[in-house]
Amino acid sequence: MHGQPRRPKKPEDGSAAAAKAAKLRDLQAQVLHNHHTSTYTEEALGLSFKLLEINPEAYTAWNYRKLALRHNLKELSEPEAIKSVVDGELRVVEAALRANPKSYGAWYHRKWLLNQRLTPVDSKREFGLLDKLLKVDARNFHGWNYRRFLAKFMGVLEEDELKYTMVKICDNFSNYSAWHNRSILLSNLLAQQSKGFESKQKIFKEEFDLVTQALFTDPSDQSGWFYHLWLLAQTSSPENPQLIASWPCNDAKLSLFPISKSDDLSMVSSSSSICCYSLKDRIVPIVLYFDEPVKGLNSSNVKLNSDLVIGKDIQWRPLSVTDSGHSNCWVTYLEISNKECSSPQQFSVEVGIPCSDDMVSRSGSPCSSPVHFTFTIELSNSNDKPQDIDLFHEPISWNCSESFRSDGNPSCVAFDQVNISNTVVQENSKWHLEGLSDQIDLFRELPDENSKFAKLTLARLLLACAAIKSRGNSLIERKGYCEEALGLFSDLINLDPSHKRYYEDERSLVIMDQLTCDMRTFMKYCSVQVKLNSAPLNHVQLCRLSLTCIGFTERMLWVQMLDLSHNSLRSVEGLEALQQLACLNISNNQISSFTSLEPLTKIVSLKALDLSFNQIGAHPIDTTRYICSSPFSHKGEPCEEAFEACRKKNIDVEEFWDAILFFKSVKLVQLDIKGNAVADKDDFRTVVTTLSASLKWLDGTCVH
């Protein structure tokens, strides 16, 4: 319980605990026997009550009492008799809560009882119970959760509940549960535009003033800081999700053509056509990237019109790692038949996204900004044999001078973000920016210079302003915000080393933002890499930048060759958006498992992968292997075929299951993995060659 110090154990405590355990085991045995024999007598119920007084988390005892209540009520018809039984059950819950006020089973049982609607609910009794409980522990989140349930159940106005949170916050600024409940209530009232809550600007200004008082009263308390973080998210985020990037972009011309020795390299970068390497496999991915996770994209609300024959089975897939259904990035794949390649021709593709109530963010806000763009696919005659365009007739070297010729810069401007008019940006962001600027000035004056919460909040405020400035193209101002935020994250790494990794990830995102926010800066890291008798590749090199994670990939949807070597990457999350990526170098990083590479399995164009000199297999107990669930509990899934193929070669699939899942899902032509502990294990090379039928080069050696 909050604020209650632990008392040291006394010698007699040991014997008391042993006696309590013996009594508990005896009671459990009797209750289980009664449960299995469906014995619902008064004596049997009394035993379950005694058990729950000692151990309120005995879920079987609660379930037994539910069954007993239903059974015994069949014999009752008088309202008073039913009320007496229900009141008795409520008293059992209260006794359990006296033993443990945070018992999940007890609170759930009380909700279940009320939901049965067997008798009228005594609201005075229920709210009185909560008042007593919250006086003992004002932050008991079980009690607050039950209060939300009860208020909704009894039809209490949310405005009244909001006033109650204010009373509790005034009693104690450190009441995190009250702040949390306040955020839930405000979200509902603003979404419903209830009377007095029509203006977000007014409400959030008042809330910022309130929480600022709490923060300046006690800067070391976390509760107010978390509420401030929630307010910041409401203030800095667009009210409705918007499409911010796409591949292909508007007016793009996609083609696939080889570069021969006689070709003028200057024509590569000046050509109006964009090389689409996936056309080699007759596939064109269409990528839509939103400024916040959305769900609900389908063929009915994302319209595709084309001269190409587009089947009715077009499916939009979320590319997020989780299965929540929401994703910033969505993709579909156009498949081009050989019939359409019978003669050289161009096909136009139109993508239209109207306003739709079906496409919604996690907060339930619909996409309200219609978008339309068109691109062209240039197809050559099938007799030109595009399949002979081979990027991997010899292994790719990431030293550009060895296997590539570098020429000029890619036409990145053509791939820039979908334009959002400055007028809309200014209207949506003016009040956000004013409020954020006031908060920045305020927190710069906070007296506690060593408060990690103050520094972190100030950094988030600065980055929120930078994001708004980027929409309005105020690059000089946003650069200043980013530089100050970088300094704050560096301070936090030293000030709060226990959260070092979090601050490093946040700093990496700021670095990625700075490098990619404008083309003049980004072009320093871009080039076109050309290999003889192959297609030119848009190349980006972001090496030795101390990156621990990857961000702002919506600005790199056009990249086909990416070098992220010599950083400190622990994850590749975000790269799944780069559906044109053919070659990836993440050597000399801190990748520790194949499960952390799962996003790469969603990139259809990926052919060359350099994983050398990471930490895969280096840790005897590597919890990152279990980011995804073990496949052995999912019999009959497609992975079973891969496991069976490995078993036939006497491979220990339990040891290599994460590698098997990865290599069965990618179609690599070149893999470099030397310098990892896993590469030295017996049978690992066999795993790779067994599952990678397309693999041609392994650590520089030809395998097929």
Side-chain angles (χ1 to χ4, degrees):
M1 190 178 294
H2 295 289
Q4 300 296 321
R6 294 184 180 181
R7 61 180 182 87
K9 291 185 178 181
K10 299 178 181 179
E12 56 268 25
D13 290 343
S15 57
K20 181 179 179 180
K23 182 180 180 181
L24 182 63
R25 284 192 295 270
D26 183 53
L27 281 171
Q28 284 177 331
Q30 294 180 70
V31 170
L32 283 173
H33 173 75
N34 292 333
H35 181 40
H36 292 153
T37 59
S38 300
T39 303
Y40 302 128
T41 63
E42 187 174 342
E43 181 183 358
L45 286 171
L47 290 173
S48 67
F49 172 56
K50 290 180 180 179
L51 174 60
L52 290 169
E53 275 190 310
I54 300 173
N55 179 19
E57 297 301 335
Y59 292 104
T60 301
W62 290 117
N63 290 334
Y64 166 74
R65 294 194 69 89
K66 289 181 178 68
L67 294 172
L69 181 70
R70 286 175 172 170
H71 177 271
N72 294 334
L73 284 175
K74 292 177 182 178
E75 303 174 1
L76 302 176
S77 58
E78 293 295 325
E80 286 299 320
I82 294 173
K83 183 178 184 302
S84 177
V85 171
V86 172
D87 286 344
E89 202 66 22
L90 290 173
R91 284 193 293 273
V92 171
V93 175
E94 290 166 16
L97 290 175
R98 280 193 290 272
N100 180 8
K102 295 184 178 180
S103 168
Y104 285 90
W107 285 112
Y108 179 79
H109 194 70
R110 199 171 188 90
K111 287 182 184 178
W112 177 84
L113 271 173
L114 266 61
N115 276 323
Q116 301 308 301
R117 300 181 185 274
L118 298 169
T119 61
V121 175
D122 186 348
S123 60
K124 185 177 180 181
R125 173 181 180 173
E126 295 303 310
F127 282 109
L129 171 69
L130 284 172
D131 288 339
K132 291 178 182 178
L133 179 120
L134 294 178
K135 282 181 181 178
V136 176
D137 182 5
R139 291 180 284 185
N140 186 329
F141 68 91
H142 296 271
W144 282 96
N145 186 34
Y146 185 72
R147 187 178 183 92
R148 283 192 291 274
F149 160 79
L150 188 62
K152 184 176 181 180
F153 188 87
M154 302 300 298
V156 178
L157 294 176
E158 290 184 319
E159 292 88 339
D160 293 339
E161 285 297 290
L162 190 67
K163 293 175 183 177
Y164 180 79
T165 64
M166 190 69 222
V167 171
K168 287 299 181 181
I169 289 169
C170 290
D171 287 344
N172 183 3
F173 276 147
S174 185
N175 193 333
Y176 173 82
S177 295
W179 288 111
H180 174 66
N181 203 40
R182 190 170 184 83
S183 69
I184 294 174
L185 293 166
L186 276 176
S187 297
N188 294 340
L189 290 167
L190 288 169
Q192 299 162 7
Q193 290 196 324
S194 302
K195 185 177 180 180
F197 295 87
E198 298 88 354
S199 172
K200 285 188 176 182
Q201 295 94 318
K202 176 179 176 293
I203 295 298
F204 284 132
K205 184 180 185 306
E206 293 172 352
E207 293 301 305
F208 270 122
D209 291 341
L210 171 64
V211 75
T212 300
Q213 292 180 44
L215 297 178
F216 276 73
T217 300
D218 186 4
S220 63
D221 184 75
Q222 300 181 34
S223 302
W225 292 108
F226 280 111
Y227 188 70
H228 190 281
L229 175 61
W230 175 78
L231 285 176
L232 176 57
Q234 310 310 304
T235 307
S236 58
S237 303
E239 293 186 9
N240 297 93
Q242 295 179 336
L243 183 72
I244 57 172
S246 70
W247 198 95
C249 69
N250 191 35
D251 294 331
K253 294 182 180 180
L254 311 182
S255 66
L256 175 65
F257 56 90
I259 302 300
S260 65
K261 294 181 180 180
S262 60
D263 286 328
D264 183 357
L265 287 176
S266 64
M267 296 298 293
V268 173
S269 56
S270 63
S271 172
S272 60
S273 294
I274 300 163
C275 174
C276 177
Y277 190 72
S278 62
L279 273 173
K280 181 178 184 293
D281 299 320
R282 304 301 188 200
I283 294 175
V284 177
I286 302 177
V287 179
L288 302 177
Y289 205 104
F290 295 84
D291 58 357
E292 59 178 311
V294 297
K295 72 173 182 179
L297 273 73
N298 53 55
S299 57
S300 63
N301 53 34
V302 181
K303 306 293 185 181
L304 292 183
N305 295 310
S306 176
D307 305 330
L308 286 166
V309 177
I310 299 177
K312 296 182 180 179
D313 58 345
I314 287 290
Q315 293 185 346
W316 287 94
R317 307 171 188 174
L319 286 177
S320 56
V321 175
T322 64
D323 296 323
S324 66
H326 291 85
S327 178
N328 288 87
C329 189
W330 289 74
V331 66
T332 192
Y333 302 97
L334 297 184
E335 296 184 5
I336 301 170
S337 66
N338 289 329
K339 181 180 179 181
E340 290 164 328
C341 299
S342 58
S343 61
Q345 54 187 314
Q346 290 188 353
F347 294 97
S348 175
V349 180
E350 297 180 6
V351 181
I353 307 176
C355 297
S356 174
D357 292 334
D358 296 328
M359 296 165 51
V360 296
S361 66
R362 284 174 176 161
S363 63
S365 301
C367 292
S368 58
S369 300
V371 176
H372 178 272
F373 62 92
T374 305
F375 63 92
T376 303
I377 302 173
E378 298 178 343
L379 297 179
S380 60
N381 192 310
S382 58
N383 295 327
D384 293 341
K385 298 181 180 179
Q387 62 270 21
D388 293 337
I389 299 173
D390 187 7
L391 186 63
F392 304 99
H393 61 274
E394 61 183 26
I396 288 177
S397 171
W398 288 93
N399 182 347
C400 296
S401 62
E402 293 184 17
S403 59
F404 284 97
R405 288 183 289 172
S406 179
D407 182 79
N409 293 316
S411 301
C412 301
V413 175
F415 297 95
D416 203 359
Q417 295 175 324
V418 175
N419 288 329
I420 303 172
S421 71
N422 289 339
T423 303
V424 174
V425 170
Q426 290 170 4
E427 289 177 356
N428 287 342
S429 304
K430 184 178 179 181
W431 74 269
H432 292 163
L433 192 58
E434 290 175 353
L436 293 172
S437 298
D438 291 342
Q439 288 289 303
I440 288 173
D441 294 338
L442 193 63
F443 281 100
R444 282 174 174 158
E445 298 174 1
L446 195 70
D448 189 355
E449 295 182 358
N450 291 321
S451 169
K452 64 179 182 181
F453 300 113
K455 287 182 179 292
L456 181 57
T457 301
L458 181 55
R460 287 169 171 163
L461 287 165
L462 291 164
L463 294 177
C465 277
I468 294 175
K469 288 292 185 181
S470 67
R471 299 177 208 154
N473 296 319
S474 304
L475 297 177
I476 296 178
E477 287 184 79
R478 76 180 308 283
K479 182 179 179 181
Y481 289 134
C482 289
E483 291 291 346
E484 187 175 352
L486 282 175
L488 289 167
F489 285 125
S490 297
D491 291 344
L492 284 164
I493 290 171
N494 298 321
L495 184 64
D496 185 19
S498 61
H499 296 99
K500 176 183 177 182
R501 284 195 167 191
Y502 172 77
Y503 302 132
E504 287 178 339
D505 286 350
E506 292 297 302
R507 183 176 64 182
S508 295
L509 293 177
V510 180
I511 293 172
M512 289 288 294
D513 185 18
Q514 283 187 307
L515 296 179
T516 61
C517 68
D518 70 287
M519 280 300 155
R520 181 178 299 179
T521 302
F522 196 17
M523 293 299 284
K524 298 175 184 177
Y525 302 91
C526 304
S527 63
V528 174
Q529 299 300 322
V530 183
K531 198 170 184 179
L532 295 181
N533 299 315
S534 184
L537 298 179
N538 290 324
H539 176 252
V540 171
Q541 189 174 38
L542 299 173
C543 308
R544 304 179 190 279
L545 296 170
S546 300
L547 300 176
T548 58
C549 67
I550 303 160
F552 298 95
T553 51
E554 71 272 16
R555 300 170 183 171
M556 300 191 294
L557 301 181
W558 47 273
V559 174
Q560 296 160 314
M561 188 174 184
L562 179 60
D563 189 349
L564 290 165
S565 61
H566 296 89
N567 282 293
S568 301
L569 294 174
R570 297 182 284 264
S571 166
V572 294
E573 187 175 352
L575 290 183
E576 65 274 9
L578 277 55
Q579 289 292 305
Q580 282 298 293
L581 189 63
C583 306
L584 174 63
N585 182 1
I586 48 175
S587 63
N588 293 278
N589 277 281
Q590 296 179 17
I591 304 296
S592 61
S593 68
F594 286 107
T595 51
S596 62
L597 299 173
E598 192 267 348
L600 302 184
T601 64
K602 300 180 180 181
I603 305 177
V604 295
S605 299
L606 186 63
K607 302 299 180 185
L609 177 61
D610 191 342
L611 290 170
S612 54
F613 301 103
N614 274 277
Q615 301 173 7
I616 303 175
H619 307 290
I621 301 177
D622 183 9
T623 56
T624 59
R625 289 186 74 197
Y626 303 100
I627 294 174
C628 64
S629 58
S630 169
F632 301 111
S633 60
H634 303 285
K635 302 265 182 176
E637 291 192 357
C639 58
E640 186 60 33
E641 184 178 339
F643 289 131
E644 188 58 33
C646 290
R647 289 190 186 101
K648 288 180 179 179
K649 297 195 175 182
N650 298 317
I651 294 169
D652 184 358
V653 295
E654 282 77 10
E655 180 181 3
F656 293 109
W657 68 265
D658 52 344
I660 294 170
L661 285 179
F662 178 72
F663 287 109
K664 85 170 183 64
S665 304
V666 293
K667 297 180 180 179
L668 299 176
V669 179
Q670 177 177 326
L671 172 67
D672 293 281
I673 198 165
K674 58 183 178 292
N676 289 274
V678 71
D680 298 327
K681 291 184 178 181
D682 295 338
D683 295 333
F684 175 73
R685 186 182 178 91
T686 306
V687 170
V688 176
T689 54
T690 298
L691 300 176
S692 305
S694 58
L695 192 68
K696 186 175 181 180
W697 303 100
L698 178 57
D699 287 331
T701 303
C702 185
V703 294
H704 289 126

